[in-house]
Amino acid sequence: MSEHFFATAPRGLEALLAAELGALGAKDAAIVPGGVAFGGDWRACYAANLWSRLASRVLWRVAEFGYAGDEDLYEAARGVDWPRYFDVGRTLRVNVSATKSPLKSLDFATLRVKDAVCDRFRDATGRRPDVDRRRPDIRVHVFLEAARGALYLDTSGEPLFKRGWRSGAGEAPLRENLAAGLVMLSEWKFDEPLLDPMCGAGTILVEAAAMARGRAPGMNRSFGFEKLKAFDSPAWEKMKRESRNPSPPRALRLFGSDNDPRVLNDARRNIAEAGVDRWVKLERADVLERAAPAPAGVMIANPPYGERLGSKDALAEFYPKLGSALKRNFAGWRCHFFTADLRMPKLLRLQPARKTPLYNGALECRLYEFRMVAGSHRKP
Ligand SMILES: C[S@@+](CC[C@H](N)C(=O)[O-])C[C@H]1O[C@@H](n2cnc3c(N)ncnc32)[C@H](O)[C@@H]1O
């Protein structure tokens, strides 16, 4: 039977996510800002959770409704047969998000939905599920627009960018699904050298290596759907068994460096934990001084960008030097920088071949691509 699902993702990655989900068996993928709605059976949902490198969560739609106020919301949530979907012994958390909603307080809306779910259980079973805001078994998501809303059960549980390999955080690490998106947007081919010269905790390198090896990102974690009554354990175990044969390792050439030895330790731990240390060479180096590890290749980096790390003034000094270093040392490379600092091309004194708008949470960012060609060293 076909169900309705919605996969959320960092904004800017929706089109890539729709293509990824299509390849995993999703039907009728429809892009909206922040995610992709799709249809499919439970296998498609399991596959999206196990294999999507871009999705943050996969949600299962259980109701749609029109509303004007909090009580309509209560009635809509009360109208759902929750005991059919999960056991009263499961713990619960409700999340409400809204765009253009007339409701005064989303906290109050959250409470009313929680009450509705609990009341429905009380009427059916005489008991109410407990709320656990930190580690709930069941997450109910409510999305509200101006006059319509939808209720979802979360099939992912912990967000999908938690792949189970991260122990070191470095400073300001990228989310794993955003890092995977940057690698996809760079159009890196697995046989090309890849360098992150400001690698921090190594997120981009781990995601690139996992992608090239064809390993399922969700192999080592559990999922929200395992707590739902609809869970088909034999089908899920079979899917996992069939996913256990990563494609034979290719001759990968991945390189990472950072000038901070402490974050390099985090990178080393993460890369080992993810089981890709054989393919990644790490070293301590300043991006302004290091040489290219090959005559041509793909650079992907997420420099400090003055929001969380480094001041705007320091970056205004750093970027022209980085531009010169790229021209001097990286002729033949396609260099990609993910940043919220939109002054970057100007300060690098380089013309981007491509710029892709992306969001890191609420922060508007760009992925800039600079094609460094031999002899492109212009005078400042
Ligand atoms: C925003 S963080 C990168 C986070 C990384 N993408 C991750 O997911 O963990 C920026 C990194 O650039 C490094 N960095 C800053 N200036 C550098 C330089 N001149 N040479 C090399 N690395 C530098 C910092 O040490 C920091 O780890």
Side-chain angles (χ1 to χ4, degrees), residues 186-196 205 208 251-256 279 292-300 330 332-334 336:
S186 78
E187 296 175 6
W188 169 60
K189 302 201 185 46
F190 299 149
D191 58 356
E192 290 179 292
L194 179 88
L195 166 68
D196 180 350
L205 297 165
L252 286 177
R253 288 173 294 167
L254 300 174
F255 304 89
W279 293 280
V298 175
M299 177 190 288
I300 310 175
F330 287 91
W333 282 66
R334 305 199 313 274
H336 303 261

Side-chain angles (χ1 to χ4, degrees), residues 45-266:
C45 171
Y46 297 167
N49 275 293
L50 180 61
W51 279 104
S52 175
R53 299 183 194 280
L54 300 174
S56 300
R57 294 179 178 284
V58 180
L59 309 175
W60 176 34
R61 196 176 79 199
V62 295
E64 283 188 294
F65 54 88
Y67 79 106
D70 292 305
E71 284 322 290
D72 299 333
L73 193 54
Y74 175 88
E75 289 305 329
R78 179 76 189 263
V80 175
D81 187 2
W82 300 104
R84 207 179 106 209
Y85 297 134
F86 62 94
D87 195 88
V88 68
R90 300 290 191 190
T91 56
L92 172 73
R93 174 185 172 137
V94 176
N95 277 80
V96 178
S97 47
T99 45
K100 303 192 182 109
S101 166
L103 298 187
K104 289 204 183 65
S105 157
L106 292 189
D107 285 342
F108 186 66
T110 307
L111 261 180
R112 290 307 282 151
V113 172
K114 190 267 293 169
D115 287 344
V117 178
C118 290
D119 290 351
R120 181 82 193 211
F121 268 103
R122 189 202 51 211
D123 292 353
T125 69
R127 290 174 58 203
R128 298 165 144 265
D130 288 332
V131 170
D132 181 345
R133 292 183 54 76
R134 265 173 42 84
R135 294 186 61 81
D137 296 322
I138 302 289
R139 291 171 160 89
V140 173
H141 293 265
V142 188
F143 284 93
L144 299 174
E145 293 175 338
R148 295 203 58 79
L151 284 155
Y152 294 87
L153 279 164
D154 189 331
T155 71
S156 302
E158 286 283 292
L160 296 178
F161 51 78
K162 297 198 176 168
R163 321 264 207 231
W165 55 256
R166 187 187 290 290
S167 57
E171 278 184 61
L174 282 175
R175 285 194 169 161
E176 290 76 348
N177 55 343
L178 184 51
L182 301 183
V183 175
M184 290 183 198
L185 285 168
S186 78
E187 296 175 6
W188 169 60
K189 302 201 185 46
F190 299 149
D191 58 356
E192 290 179 292
L194 179 88
L195 166 68
D196 180 350
M198 288 178 265
C199 70
T203 319
I204 293 171
L205 297 165
V206 170
E207 289 300 316
M211 216 179 279
R213 291 196 61 205
R215 235 221 340 241
M219 202 50 143
N220 294 325
R221 50 161 285 164
S222 58
F223 295 94
F225 59 72
E226 295 170 55
K227 309 263 172 74
L228 297 174
K229 283 189 177 171
F231 179 43
D232 181 348
S233 173
W236 169 237
E237 290 305 326
K238 181 163 176 279
M239 182 177 288
K240 278 211 295 193
R241 268 197 312 280
E242 289 168 357
S243 304
R244 227 166 239 138
N245 294 324
S247 42
R250 302 161 213 254
L252 286 177
R253 288 173 294 167
L254 300 174
F255 304 89
S257 53
D258 200 288
N259 65 353
D260 181 343
R262 284 165 312 164
V263 303
L264 274 178
N265 284 337
D266 286 341

